[in-house]
Amino acid sequence: MAPFALLQAAVVASGAGNGVAAVAIPWLVLDRTGDPAAAGLVGAASALPLLLSAIFSGTVVDSLGRRRTSVISDVLSALSVAAIPVIDRVLGLDLGLIVVLAAIGALFDPAGATARESMIPEAARASGLGLERANGVHEASWGVAYMIGPALGGGLIALVGAAATLWATAGAFVLSIAAIALLRAPGMGRPPVEERPEGLLRGSLQGVSFVWRTRVLRTLALVMMLIVAIYMPIEGVLLPVIFEAQEAPGRLGVVLMAMSGGGVAGSLLYSVVAKRLSRRAFFIGALTLASASILGMSTLPAYPLLIALAAMAGFFWGPMGPLLNLEMQIHTPPQMRGRVLGVLMAVFYSAGPAGYLAVGWLTRAHGAEVVFTSLGVLIVVAGLGCSLLPSLRDLDEPGPYEAELTARDLHPPVTL
């Protein structure tokens, strides 16, 4: 099986597992407490370990190697998620235990995600794929995963309950482990000693310094941090609160699935047309239209229209991931790719805890509908404001590693 196909199989499996958990854990909290602020607390408790782990995860990848880090991370993630239904059956879960277990489960995810993301150029090259197409397909795989995961999670909650649903997440991580264990391609093993970071802290600081010095990466990181801070609580707090009040977990799963399905289409569109359009125009247009679609969702229209708007939001958001991946790849030395990815993930995660807590408290005080509308307006303002940033013109400038990666794509080496 081609290396790139195995990599995408692992991405789909791990992403689907996390998609199940994204529905099951907030639902479990709301079922046990009935308090949206508690759901926000659990979201924040999960986001904080993601932030702390992500900043160091790239250094781990660049030290241990990509394949090894991915497998170890998934083993630990599977065990931590399986602990939730086990402890629920043996001891029973209260809010404190859910917070602790969710935080532990989130601790291991960034290293695996960083490792798999850092494999894209090498796996694509070994499979004879161009970089733009590989990034588009990779992000489409994430979309497929989050289309499958929430729908599966919603269905399983109705059948077996929220806690038992998390067995599906643990099983998905096992499938990811199997796919990565079979993957063989150059650049997947442990790097030479001279290319490894000199210590966990120093390596992570090197990643931070590199991102800050590279203007286009710095700008993209800050823009995405703002957008993620607004969006994450919508999916992790507001939509579960709204559909839990309707006692409709299946509807929540369908809305999230529609967003993921739209994202798949948008990512695949990027893989086809990327070379024909300005990257800056693509980025600004996609961000503006995705934000407008989320504003439409925030009005809570009739359910069929809500699904259509969710699909549109996903479609216009779909090209963002491949474009960001490409910019990181063409501006980053291959031996530093893990560290740079870890820093970028940490930046995206950093706004999550405050967003979750604020939205949870505001929802309890003012209701989900009012908060959702406010966030819809805020994300449109943020998207329009980004179009005024002069540093985004750097998106249309060639990166220092772009020619090298393109040349390698045209002449893939023999797979090991």
Side-chain angles (χ1 to χ4, degrees):
M1 192 173 182
F4 191 74
L6 284 169
L7 176 60
Q8 299 319 301
V11 168
V12 170
S14 61
N18 281 321
V20 170
V23 175
I25 291 177
W27 200 276
L28 177 64
V29 175
L30 291 168
D31 182 59
R32 300 297 168 89
T33 69
D35 186 356
L41 176 63
V42 173
S46 301
L48 282 170
L50 285 174
L51 169 61
L52 296 174
S53 177
I55 194 68
F56 297 111
S57 65
T59 305
V60 173
V61 171
D62 287 342
S63 300
L64 295 182
R66 295 160 183 166
R67 280 182 67 248
R68 183 181 301 179
T69 303
S70 178
V71 169
I72 293 173
S73 172
D74 282 347
V75 168
L76 295 174
S77 293
L79 292 174
S80 63
V81 170
I84 295 178
V86 169
I87 293 175
D88 187 42
R89 179 171 290 274
V90 174
L91 299 175
L93 287 172
D94 58 16
L95 179 60
L97 272 174
I98 296 173
V99 168
V100 170
L101 293 171
I104 293 172
L107 190 64
F108 306 116
D109 281 345
T114 300
R116 288 184 288 273
E117 199 88 2
S118 68
M119 296 180 193
I120 294 173
E122 286 73 22
R125 190 165 64 244
S127 302
L129 287 176
L131 200 54
E132 287 89 355
R133 185 173 296 274
N135 283 312
V137 172
H138 175 78
E139 293 300 321
S141 297
W142 272 115
V144 169
Y146 278 93
M147 186 166 53
I148 295 171
L152 178 61
L156 287 174
I157 289 170
L159 289 174
V160 299
T165 293
L166 291 168
W167 283 113
T169 298
F173 282 124
V174 172
L175 294 177
S176 176
I177 292 166
I180 295 297
L182 294 172
L183 195 159
R184 295 290 186 274
M188 302 301 180
R190 194 169 190 185
V193 174
E194 63 272 14
E195 293 184 0
R196 297 176 200 166
E198 297 179 6
L200 192 63
L201 179 59
R202 185 170 181 180
S204 300
L205 290 175
Q206 288 171 341
V208 172
S209 176
F210 183 87
V211 171
W212 188 255
R213 292 195 316 268
T214 309
R215 190 172 80 152
V216 66
L217 295 183
R218 181 178 71 239
T219 300
L220 290 174
L222 294 175
V223 167
M224 296 309 297
M225 180 176 69
L226 174 62
I227 299 301
V228 167
I230 300 169
Y231 172 75
M232 283 179 66
I234 292 174
E235 184 175 305
V237 178
L238 291 175
L239 288 175
V241 167
I242 289 166
F243 287 108
E244 195 272 344
Q246 300 174 11
E247 298 184 355
R251 285 194 165 196
L252 172 61
V254 170
V255 168
L256 297 180
M257 184 173 65
M259 296 182 76
S260 297
V264 170
S267 298
L268 293 176
L269 173 68
Y270 175 85
S271 72
V272 174
V273 304
K275 290 185 176 181
R276 307 174 192 174
L277 299 174
S278 157
R279 291 175 191 160
R280 178 178 178 274
F282 213 120
F283 179 86
I284 292 173
L287 179 59
T288 301
L289 292 170
S291 300
S293 300
I294 291 172
L295 176 60
M297 290 178 63
S298 73
T299 65
L300 295 178
Y303 185 60
L305 181 55
L306 180 64
I307 294 173
L309 288 167
M312 290 174 60
F315 178 78
F316 294 122
W317 185 257
M320 303 292 287
L323 194 152
L324 291 170
N325 286 346
L326 179 65
E327 288 298 313
M328 180 277 299
Q329 291 156 0
I330 65 177
H331 284 90
T332 304
Q335 68 272 18
M336 284 193 66
R337 199 180 298 144
R339 277 163 282 179
V340 171
L341 273 168
V343 170
L344 291 175
M345 285 190 177
V347 169
F348 301 158
Y349 291 142
S350 64
Y356 277 124
L357 288 171
V359 169
W361 289 330
L362 289 170
T363 300
R364 182 167 61 182
H366 302 288
E369 292 82 359
V370 172
V371 177
F372 197 177
T373 301
S374 300
L375 291 184
V377 172
L378 183 59
I379 200 169
V380 167
V381 171
L384 292 173
C386 290
S387 66
L388 304 177
L389 296 174
S391 54
L392 288 181
R393 295 192 185 99
D394 292 354
L395 289 171
D396 288 328
E397 298 296 324
Y401 299 93
E402 186 166 1
E404 178 185 359
L405 288 172
T406 302
R408 287 177 176 177
D409 285 337
L410 294 174
H411 303 285
V414 177
T415 303
L416 295 180

